[in-house]
Amino acid sequence: MGNLLGSWRFKEPSTVEECDSTWGSDSESDEPAGEDDSGISDSISPAESDRAAGDASPQLTESPQSAPRMKRSFYAARDLYKYRHSYPNYRKSRQPNEYRNLRFYLNKIPLVPDGIYIEEILTKWRGDYDKLEHNHTYIQWLFPLREQGLNFYAHELTQEEIKEFQSTREAKRRFLAAYSLMLDFYGIKLLDKSGNVARAPNCQERFQHLNESQHNYLRITRILKSLGELGYEAFKAPLVRLFLEEALCRNTLPNMQHSALEYYVYTIRLPATRRRLLRYARQHYRPAHAFLWGPPPKRRGGGVSGSVGAGSSGIRAPAPTPEQQRREEESTTAPSASSGIIVSSHDAIMCQELAGGGLKGCAGLGSNMAGLEGALLMVAARAERNEYNDMVPL
């Protein structure tokens, strides 16, 4: 493979803070806190919001002293940094560009390996929720990316193919139909050509399923990325806003909280839009002290504190007592299996997918969070050697 930039390589970020430019040029007062660009027509009443705010997920109801330590995922941050910056170290294949994704959307070739054409999916699969749930080969064809997924028969998008796709009316029409198909599967309806969304009539049943079927969270990340690649960047914010509302306010998707904040928001390329979504999320997140995605606090002299990263909550914690400081030092230097580090279901599923469905030598992952984090680090180290992408999408 030949590098598009010759021998020169872009220096990739090495910390979450370097990956996240959301608050880099922002101050708390530059935009009204209540400003909303969601495009969602279905709102909730203040009373309903207050009632839902009290229904926090079980892992977030403990006091600041006893709650498990949460932290941002560097591998998620770097993956989404690469996506938002159009893969700065992307390596172009020497294979001829066959425009397979475009030809699939023009109904000229079927998806591989199932041999199904796009028109059959759009006309016969809508409402067939069992098929959409259990078939794992179609999603890479419906929502192509410029990175390799788990279906190695699917082809990566190229910049040339993206330009051709965006200028082909038939392909764009089918792409929006595929997006509407998946939204219906998740209990959501597409309202207009601007990307506004709302709850569908079947939302109660579908949200319950989505809350429990968490491998779909990886699919949603792929869908959001693909929207941006194929010219529908503006469609992302309404969908992410709806997921935040359902997860944080209505409590219909409590298991999606971390994925929505750690992944979905950061597929959005405009920092101002990310800021508005995160401000909305911070208003409803419980407990407030555990919110990790806000702006860093400012020093009294006007600068940004270097002790808190860009992914911190921006809420100053009380000074630790000597006993608390000693315990913190012990937990830092000698982590144990009961360290309480939280790993999201999104990361856990990603870990399992990357490892081919199981990690040998990492027994008890289901109940041992520290072991799971170690497994994630092990998988990430293996992915480093791939030199292409640290997180393989669905």
Side-chain angles (χ1 to χ4, degrees):
M1 289 187 174
N3 195 303
L4 287 175
L5 303 177
S7 60
W8 185 85
R9 285 180 62 82
F10 179 83
K11 185 180 182 299
E12 294 182 354
S14 57
T15 66
V16 169
E17 290 76 17
E18 291 176 1
C19 294
D20 184 3
S21 61
T22 303
W23 306 98
S25 58
D26 180 58
S27 66
E28 278 293 312
S29 60
D30 70 337
E31 298 174 53
E35 187 176 348
D36 176 24
D37 64 345
S38 67
I40 297 176
S41 61
D42 187 22
S43 59
I44 62 175
S45 67
E48 189 174 4
S49 177
D50 291 341
R51 183 172 64 254
D55 299 329
S57 59
Q59 68 175 15
L60 297 177
T61 56
E62 301 178 52
S63 66
Q65 290 77 16
S66 61
R69 292 181 292 118
M70 298 182 68
K71 63 179 181 178
R72 296 281 304 276
S73 165
F74 168 65
Y75 303 102
R78 183 162 61 176
D79 172 71
L80 294 165
Y81 171 91
K82 290 179 182 180
Y83 165 75
R84 294 195 306 270
H85 291 81
S86 299
Y87 307 96
N89 287 329
Y90 171 73
R91 291 174 178 266
K92 185 176 181 180
S93 173
R94 292 181 179 178
Q95 299 297 323
N97 193 338
E98 299 178 345
Y99 288 21
R100 285 184 174 266
N101 298 292
L102 178 59
R103 290 164 60 201
F104 169 71
Y105 262 101
L106 293 177
N107 211 44
K108 293 182 177 180
I109 62 171
L111 68 81
V112 182
D114 292 348
I116 303 171
Y117 285 85
I118 180 67
E119 271 303 309
E120 179 179 348
I121 295 175
L122 296 180
T123 57
K124 296 183 179 181
W125 286 30
R126 190 177 186 91
D128 191 341
Y129 300 143
D130 285 340
K131 184 172 290 185
L132 291 169
E133 172 68 22
H134 298 295
N135 186 303
H136 297 287
T137 60
Y138 70 91
I139 196 74
Q140 297 87 359
W141 286 87
L142 286 189
F143 300 99
L145 300 176
R146 292 179 59 203
E147 50 188 278
Q148 183 63 59
L150 293 178
N151 180 353
F152 291 99
Y153 294 104
H155 287 248
E156 303 165 23
L157 278 171
T158 65
Q159 291 178 321
E160 295 81 5
E161 187 177 22
I162 289 172
K163 292 178 183 178
E164 193 68 26
F165 196 108
Q166 291 178 356
S167 64
T168 307
R169 181 177 298 180
E170 183 181 357
K172 292 168 63 179
R173 175 183 63 81
R174 286 197 176 106
F175 181 75
L176 288 181
Y179 180 52
S180 176
L181 171 79
M182 293 306 296
L183 288 181
D184 175 74
F185 175 54
Y186 296 135
I188 302 167
K189 60 183 177 180
L190 183 63
L191 297 178
D192 52 41
K193 295 181 179 180
S194 298
N196 296 316
V197 294
R199 286 177 155 193
N202 63 344
C203 66
Q204 183 175 355
E205 169 201 347
R206 300 314 304 161
F207 285 170
Q208 181 177 353
H209 173 81
L210 182 56
N211 190 57
E212 298 168 355
S213 179
Q214 297 173 23
H215 78 94
N216 278 290
Y217 300 173
L218 301 176
R219 290 176 169 182
I220 293 170
T221 300
R222 168 174 277 274
I223 291 169
L224 289 166
K225 285 182 174 182
S226 190
L227 285 169
E229 296 287 25
L230 295 176
Y232 296 95
E233 178 72 22
F235 280 45
K236 296 179 186 178
L239 182 60
V240 175
R241 170 61 163 73
L242 184 144
F243 282 140
L244 289 173
E245 180 178 319
E246 297 296 339
L248 299 174
C249 299
R250 297 179 183 268
N251 203 36
T252 55
L253 296 171
N255 291 334
M256 188 185 277
Q257 284 189 19
H258 193 273
S259 292
L261 288 163
E262 190 81 336
Y263 290 85
Y264 304 165
V265 169
Y266 289 95
T267 65
I268 296 172
R269 290 189 168 106
L270 283 177
T273 305
R274 296 199 300 271
R275 289 195 292 268
R276 285 193 286 271
L277 289 168
L278 291 173
R279 285 193 177 105
Y280 170 81
R282 190 170 59 174
Q283 291 174 2
H284 302 284
Y285 193 90
R286 297 295 181 272
H289 72 267
F291 190 78
L292 303 175
W293 302 272
K298 294 182 178 180
R299 290 176 177 171
R300 293 183 179 179
V304 176
S305 172
S307 62
V308 182
S312 68
S313 66
I315 300 175
R316 187 180 298 278
T321 65
E323 178 63 19
Q324 290 174 330
Q325 190 170 6
R326 182 185 65 79
R327 290 179 181 176
E328 178 66 23
E329 290 174 355
E330 289 177 354
S331 64
T332 302
T333 56
S336 66
S338 59
S339 60
I341 297 175
I342 289 179
V343 179
S344 74
S345 58
H346 195 302
D347 288 334
I349 296 169
M350 184 70 72
C351 177
Q352 293 172 350
E353 295 286 357
L354 280 171
L359 288 169
K360 296 179 180 179
C362 296
L365 289 182
S367 60
N368 189 333
M369 287 299 180
L372 180 53
E373 186 192 45
L376 284 168
L377 294 174
M378 188 172 68
V379 171
R382 182 186 309 168
E384 282 284 349
R385 295 195 292 270
N386 191 9
E387 205 174 319
Y388 177 68
N389 200 342
D390 298 294
M391 298 188 69
V392 180
L394 268 180

